[in-house]
């Protein structure tokens, strides 16, 4: 998306382009190259900044930093998440790291990255005391060996299960209350599937969307888990009843014919586009959808764009659980100018940024007062954020209590097909006995964790299965930084 | 006994004079080595070293976030052998080859044959249009075909409209068809270059042969059968080889269209490697390298067997 | 090999089994019919072939909502020329285009030069180490490549050439290309020995002989190798992506397409416009040069 790229970037491109023309002979440029050979080193030049977030709220803060510090230029590059991960891995191995970047979960567990020397501490250069993020920092998540490395900006309690609809296009009047229970949702979906317009644009192409659907719907059905581990028992629960119920619910919608038939070739953004174009009535996704709609399909705003509630088995869903929100921006250990980087990052822990986030209708910020204060957002967006507060809770993070847990996680090897792939297989009828597949996966992944625990423990780490058990956790309430003690 | 030592001494002297002669020749031929220098340096740095390095990586346990790996011997290979998804990708790659290659080579020949005949109109226009996909980047083709082939796209509308299909098929999103749809798109993209090879091959056939055949009253079919085909056999081997190498190079096309899915149904070996190296929760470079090496070995064995087969076939042809 | 059989069966119409009694007159009338039948058949096939491009052009002029909503209808309600403006300026395609041209031209030149030089001496001269060099190349050609991108990146980095055009040119052209080299070797071998002798009589040294006589003579091979390398470099994806990670304004077109995909939204119409922009010059080049391509490839494979 062009307009999401930084202005600085485009200006540079134009300049280098003009330079190329002025030089006349393109081949000449090829011999000298126009890049500086070692990306981020040196005290001069622009601060390099890579992220996979929405530029609409990031760039204003960076602009503020640059206008307050005329000597500092920041070059931001926005990547899609998967590209960012490849870029960072390759960059890390070839000394092409930016000064600041986001750490997508696929990059690896944060504390392992810290241990591998990816980052330098933020706290050496700035003090976050007095900001809205100060009391949201968790040891083992943002703080390592007593040093602050990063801080969260997203609230993190944001499920991706909101049915976004365009009311005027529905073939009949629908009371959103009727779609709150799973059965009701199914009935409504069946009824609005008409005249080649399907109820739901369901994105079954890649595993990520399916993972979210399955895990969060299982939560709605009562599984008290994060990533398939129930923190009341420490066990993997992919084969528990709530997961089976969630599977059945999704498969039932599919066999009802409610899903757009191209599900197998749609990623989430394809699904959004088809929904926006009117091929489906419901885009079943996260809180940022109003932002995407406002930027790209503003015509929908006048057609009754609305948010329904996340459906639960019998109406209101059980809470969906989330780990403490991870740090957003990290200073690369390759950066030669950590002070500048820290300065720029710290500028995000301000009311202005939080207000920008809300006004961009992005994922909600960690400072809830910004949501209440925001003026310029559409009503379904705000209402959905308030709903999220009812429907989502923080769970504990095992690595916050015992950092060695992460060694186990990084020792573990993936097992395929994983639950998202099993769901995909069930939807496309390549896996007939998905119950059996889930049971097998659960026992294999449990065995793999046992093996990893043993391997890590034999290397001297103090870790056991109990590290995943939090008997004092009340799943109905948020688990906060104080609860670890 | 003395005889033996005499021979040894003789051969030693011979060896020494050999070495002298070599030196003299090398000094005389200095410019030859200068001509070879760019190739030797480039080949060493960009082909031999990376090849050796990637073999070395395949013996390492190397998670993606680490700067370096640790040596674990053959463990990666042991795991690969029992990794069903590796064999799935392996099989898919060969299905790709077995179906895509003959289609591409055969269709390329048909097009080239028709477009080399003076009787056909607008030959330049046709050639250009068939060549167009070759210069179109994979990402674009991926985007276009995802939308053209899906269940509400134009292809399905036509097929259901004329009654060939009762139900639309999401060609790239249905595990029964995704691999074949990807093969189809691959043939579509690359047949243009194969057509050029064949056009070139057809041009090497002397025109007099056809004229003689026409005097004998041969029809077009007999001409093709008796003259064109036999003359093309040597080219068939070259073109098949070139295209076979290309058939293992389909990463960007498949990644943008299906990313190997759904449920691994179109996951060819390159996607498997990429997924292992970048997209799993803990990326594994050593494992990815091992997969590449193991698959490459298998491909090389097959290439050699194919080469021997082709040579044998050629020999038989010459004899008959 | 049985590969050619299906192609034979697919050939339409032209061949009744028995030769007609008066072969001179009827074929002319029949030939005209055949001509039009063939042309019509090819036209149908061509329509299938170019449909995706028609779709692409139409997509490049639609709004994002029209793209899906209108199905078979290729004609947009109102052409959205601003998609092109967006692709060219915001999407940075003007820059990507220049990068693609630099990298492609550079690597084509590199491959031609080094393969021709090496092919010349390998094909025409016997010298110490010749067998060794050929042996290494053949062996490495057949050995599995493995996952080489990591090592290639390291090499390039250690020379300080990551994030430069030169780095990409070397990465795409400095290694491999054994077939190109062998093609040159075979071609040069086929040229008569007298060429060098007469050059020597004229007092030309090795370099002048090569650049003034041999290289120009090998035009067919050069064109073939050039065309193949052009296609490889123009379509290359992973290597330029990796080599320009921290310098996105050095990206070539194939990688630049990534810029149209962001976290929650893909700008399909902008991407389509960019694709049309990037295809236009290539189509023109091909129309102008296609006859030469074919002749050249034919000349090159004749041996």
């Amino acid at each position: 998306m062009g307009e999401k790229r930084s202005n600085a970037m485009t200006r540079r491109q134009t300049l280098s382009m003009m330079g190329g023309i002025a030089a006349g002979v393109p081949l000449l440029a090829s011999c000298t190259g126009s890049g500086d050979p070692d990306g981020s080193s040196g005290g001069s030049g622009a601060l390099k900044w890579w992220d996979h977030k929405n530029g609409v709220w990031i760039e204003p803060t960076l602009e503020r930093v640059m206008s307050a510090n005329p000597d500092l230029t920041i070059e931001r590059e926005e990547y899609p998440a998967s590209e960012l991960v490849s870029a960072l891995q390759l960059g890390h191995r070839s000394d092409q790291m930016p000064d600041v970047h986001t750490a997508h979960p696929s990059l690896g567990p944060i504390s392992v990255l810290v241990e591998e020397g990816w980052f330098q501490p933020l706290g050496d250069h700035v003090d976050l005391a007095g900001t809205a993020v100060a009391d949201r920092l968790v040891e083992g998540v943002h703080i390592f060996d007593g040093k602050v490395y990063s801080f969260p900006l997203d609230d993190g309690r944001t499920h991706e299960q909101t049915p976004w609809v365009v009311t005027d296009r529905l073939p009949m009047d629908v009371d959103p209350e009727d779609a709150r229970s799973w059965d009701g949702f199914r009935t409504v979906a069946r009824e609005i599937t008409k005249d080649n317009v399907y109820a739901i644009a369901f994105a079954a192409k890649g595993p990520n969307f399916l993972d979210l659907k399955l895990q969060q719907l299982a939560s709605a059905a009562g599984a008290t888990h994060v990533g398939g581990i129930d923190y009341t028992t420490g066990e993997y629960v992919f084969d528990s009843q709530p997961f089976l119920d969630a599977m059945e619910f999704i498969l039932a919608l599919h066999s009802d014919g409610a899903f757009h038939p191209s599900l197998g070739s749609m990623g989430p953004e394809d699904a959004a586009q088809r929904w926006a174009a009117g091929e489906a009535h419901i885009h079943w996704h996260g809180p940022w959808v109003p932002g995407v709609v406002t930027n790209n399909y503003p015509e929908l705003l006048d057609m009754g764009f609305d948010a329904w509630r996340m459906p639960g088995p019998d109406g209101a869903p059980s809470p969906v659980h989330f780990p403490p929100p991870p740090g957003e921006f990290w200073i690369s250990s390759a950066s030669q100018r950590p002070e500048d980087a820290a300065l720029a990052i710290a500028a995000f822990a301000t009311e202005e940024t939080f207000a920008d986030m809300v006004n961009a209708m992005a994922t909600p910020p960690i400072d809830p007062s910004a949501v209440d204060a925001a003026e310029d957002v559409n009503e379904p967006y705000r209402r959905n954020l308030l709903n999220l507060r009812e429907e989502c809770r923080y769970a504990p993070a095992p690595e916050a209590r015992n950092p060695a847990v992460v060694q186990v996680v990084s020792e573990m090897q993936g097992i395929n097909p994983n639950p998202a792939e099993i769901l995909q297989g069930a939807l496309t009828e390549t896996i007939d006995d998905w119950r059996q597949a889930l049971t097998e996966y659960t026992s294999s992944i449990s065995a793999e964790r046992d093996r990893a625990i043993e391997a890590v423990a034999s290397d001297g780490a103090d870790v056991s299965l109990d590290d995943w058990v939090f008997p004092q956790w009340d799943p109905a309430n948020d688990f906060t930084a104080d609860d670890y003690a | 006994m003395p005889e033996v030592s005499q021979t040894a001494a003789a051969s030693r002297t011979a060896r020494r004079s050999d070495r002298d002669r070599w030196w003299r020749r090398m000094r005389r031929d200095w410019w030859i080595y200068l001509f070879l220098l760019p190739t030797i340096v480039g080949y060493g740095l960009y082909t031999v070293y990376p090849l050796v390095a990637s073999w070395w990586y395949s013996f390492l346990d190397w998670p993606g976030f680490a700067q370096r790996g640790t040596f674990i011997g053959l463990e990666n290979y042991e795991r690969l052998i029992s990794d069903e998804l590796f064999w799935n990708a392996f099989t898919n790659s060969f299905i790709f080859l077995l179906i895509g290659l003959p289609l591409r080579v055969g269709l390329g020949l048909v097009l080239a044959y028709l477009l080399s005949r003076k009787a056909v109109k607008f030959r330049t226009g046709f050639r250009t249009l068939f060549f167009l996909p070759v210069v179109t980047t994979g990402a674009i083709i991926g985007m276009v075909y995802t939308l053209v082939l899906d269940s509400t796209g134009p292809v399905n509308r036509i097929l259901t409209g004329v009654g060939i299909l009762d139900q639309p098929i999401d060609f790239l999103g249905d595990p029964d068809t995704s691999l074949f749809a990807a093969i189809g798109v691959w043939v579509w993209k690359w047949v243009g270059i194969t057509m050029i090879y064949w056009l070139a091959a057809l041009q090497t056939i002397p025109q007099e042969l056809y004229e003689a055949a026409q005097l004998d009253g041969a029809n077009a079919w007999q001409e093709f059968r008796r003259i064109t085909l036999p003359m093309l056999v040597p080219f068939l081997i070259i073109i098949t080889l070139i295209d076979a190498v290309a058939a293992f190079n389909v990463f960007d096309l498949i990644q943008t269209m299906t990313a190997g899915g759904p449920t691994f149904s179109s996951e060819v070996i390159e996607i498997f490697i990429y997924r292992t190296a970048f997209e799993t929760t803990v990326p594994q470079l050593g494992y990815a390298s091992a997969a590449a090496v193991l698959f490459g070995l298998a491909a090389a064995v097959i290439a050699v067997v194919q080469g021997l087969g082709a040579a044998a076939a050629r020999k038989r042809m010459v004899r008959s | 090999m049985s590969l050619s059989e299906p192609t034979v069966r697919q050939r339409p119409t032209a061949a009744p089994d028995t030769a007609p009694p008066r072969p001179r007159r009827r074929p002319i009338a029949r030939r005209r019919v055949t001509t039009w039948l063939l042309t019509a058949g090819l036209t149908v096939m061509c329509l299938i072939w170019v449909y995706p491009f028609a779709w692409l052009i139409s997509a490049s002029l639609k709004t994002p909502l029209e793209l899906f909503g209108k199905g078979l209808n290729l004609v947009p309600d109102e052409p959205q020329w601003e998609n092109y403006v967006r692709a060219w300026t915001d999407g940075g395609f003007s820059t990507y285009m220049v990068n693609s041209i630099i990298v492609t031209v550079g690597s084509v030149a590199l491959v031609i030069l080094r393969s021709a030089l090496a092919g010349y001496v390998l094909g025409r001269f016997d010298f110490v180490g010749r067998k060794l060099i050929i042996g290494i190349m053949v062996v490495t050609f057949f050995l599995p490549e493995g996952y080489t991108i990591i090592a290639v990146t390291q090499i390039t980095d250690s020379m300080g050439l990551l994030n430069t055009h030169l780095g990409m040119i070397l990465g795409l052209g400095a290694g491999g290309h054994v077939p190109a080299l062998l093609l040159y070797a075979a071609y040069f071998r086929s040229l008569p020995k007298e060429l060098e002798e007469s050059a020597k009589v004229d007092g030309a040294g090795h370099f002048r002989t090569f650049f003034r006589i041999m290289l120009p003579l090998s035009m067919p091979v050069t064109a073939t190798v050039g065309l193949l390398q052009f296609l490889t470099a123009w379509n290359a994806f992973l290597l330029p992506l990796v080599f320009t990670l921290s310098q996105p304004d050095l990206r070539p077109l194939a990688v630049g397409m990534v810029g149209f995909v962001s976290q929650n939204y893909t700008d399909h119409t902008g991407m389509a416009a960019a694709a049309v922009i990037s295809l236009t010059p290539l189509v023109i080049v091909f129309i102008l040069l296609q006859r030469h391509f074919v002749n050249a490839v034919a000349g090159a494979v004749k041996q």
Side-chain angles (χ1 to χ4, degrees), chain A residues 14 17 25 75 124 128 136 154 187 202 232 265 286 311 325 391:
Chain A
T14 324
M17 171 73 189
V25 190
E75 254 175 44
D124 290 356
L128 296 171
R136 306 297 288 275
D154 285 343
T187 313
F202 195 79
T232 59
S265 54
E391 290 158 0

Side-chain angles (χ1 to χ4, degrees), chain A residues 53-386:
Chain A
K53 296 285 167 158
N54 185 348
V56 179
W57 62 265
I58 289 184
E59 279 171 15
T61 304
L62 295 180
E63 296 289 342
R64 280 196 290 277
V65 174
M66 285 191 274
S67 59
N69 304 276
D71 294 341
L72 182 61
T73 39
I74 302 169
E75 254 175 44
R76 170 172 179 267
E77 181 67 13
E78 180 179 323
Y79 289 87
S82 61
E83 303 291 338
L84 178 83
V85 172
S86 324
L88 287 171
Q89 283 176 12
L90 288 159
H92 182 60
R93 250 166 270 137
S94 56
D95 295 324
Q96 299 190 76
M97 289 300 269
D99 296 278
V100 177
H101 63 88
T102 46
H104 189 273
S106 303
L107 198 58
I110 267 297
S111 59
V112 174
L113 297 179
V114 172
E115 203 171 302
E116 289 280 338
W118 276 62
F119 309 120
Q120 39 187 326
L122 174 76
D124 290 356
H125 310 288
V126 291
D127 186 5
L128 296 171
T131 65
V133 301
D135 60 343
R136 306 297 288 275
L137 303 179
V138 178
E139 177 81 35
V141 179
H142 316 102
I143 305 173
F144 299 90
D145 290 331
K147 289 187 171 168
V148 176
Y149 276 73
S150 183
F151 56 84
L153 289 176
D154 285 343
D155 180 80
R157 288 168 296 184
T158 45
H159 64 62
E160 277 88 359
Q161 311 305 326
T162 305
W164 298 97
V165 295
V166 182
T167 311
D168 295 0
R169 286 202 298 224
L170 293 174
M172 65 198 64
D173 287 338
V174 177
D175 181 357
E177 281 302 306
D178 292 345
R180 284 204 73 179
S181 72
W182 284 2
D183 284 343
F185 191 79
R186 269 184 75 180
T187 313
V188 168
R190 252 197 320 260
E191 283 170 357
I192 60 176
T193 299
K194 233 181 203 175
D195 306 326
N196 284 324
V197 181
Y198 299 88
I200 301 161
F202 195 79
K205 180 180 180 181
N208 295 347
F209 180 87
L210 295 174
D211 224 18
L212 292 175
K213 276 279 161 300
L214 178 61
Q215 297 203 10
Q216 296 180 357
L217 289 174
S219 295
T224 50
H225 78 106
V226 169
I229 302 176
D230 186 333
Y231 289 146
T232 59
T233 61
E235 300 292 337
Y236 282 97
V237 290
F238 288 113
D239 57 350
S240 65
Q241 197 55 44
F243 270 88
L244 301 182
D245 291 346
M247 283 287 289
E248 263 165 9
F249 175 46
I250 296 168
L251 294 173
L253 285 167
H254 185 40
S255 60
D256 288 347
F259 291 161
H260 188 292
S262 297
L263 70 161
S265 54
M266 279 195 284
E269 60 287 355
D270 305 317
Q273 233 149 16
R274 281 160 187 280
W275 163 77
E279 290 193 10
H281 291 298
I282 296 174
H283 181 41
W284 200 2
H285 219 336
W288 60 82
V289 170
V292 175
V293 166
T294 309
N295 281 333
N296 302 305
Y297 319 107
E299 52 270 59
L300 301 185
L301 297 176
D302 303 326
M303 298 167 68
F305 173 66
D306 198 8
W308 291 355
R309 298 295 298 261
M310 173 182 185
D314 310 299
S318 300
V320 185
H321 290 104
F322 295 89
E328 197 74 67
F329 301 116
W330 302 77
I331 307 175
S332 161
S333 52
S335 175
Q336 302 292 309
R337 39 205 301 205
E339 301 85 9
D340 290 342
L343 180 80
I345 294 176
F348 281 83
T350 53
E351 274 171 40
E352 287 105 315
T353 302
F354 296 132
D356 288 341
M357 289 173 78
V358 179
N359 287 327
M361 289 180 269
T363 44
I366 197 155
D367 181 2
S369 64
V371 179
D372 307 321
E375 288 157 7
D376 209 18
V377 300
N378 70 35
E379 197 273 334
Y381 173 76
R382 185 200 300 270
R383 180 154 39 83
N384 182 54
L385 293 198
L386 300 179

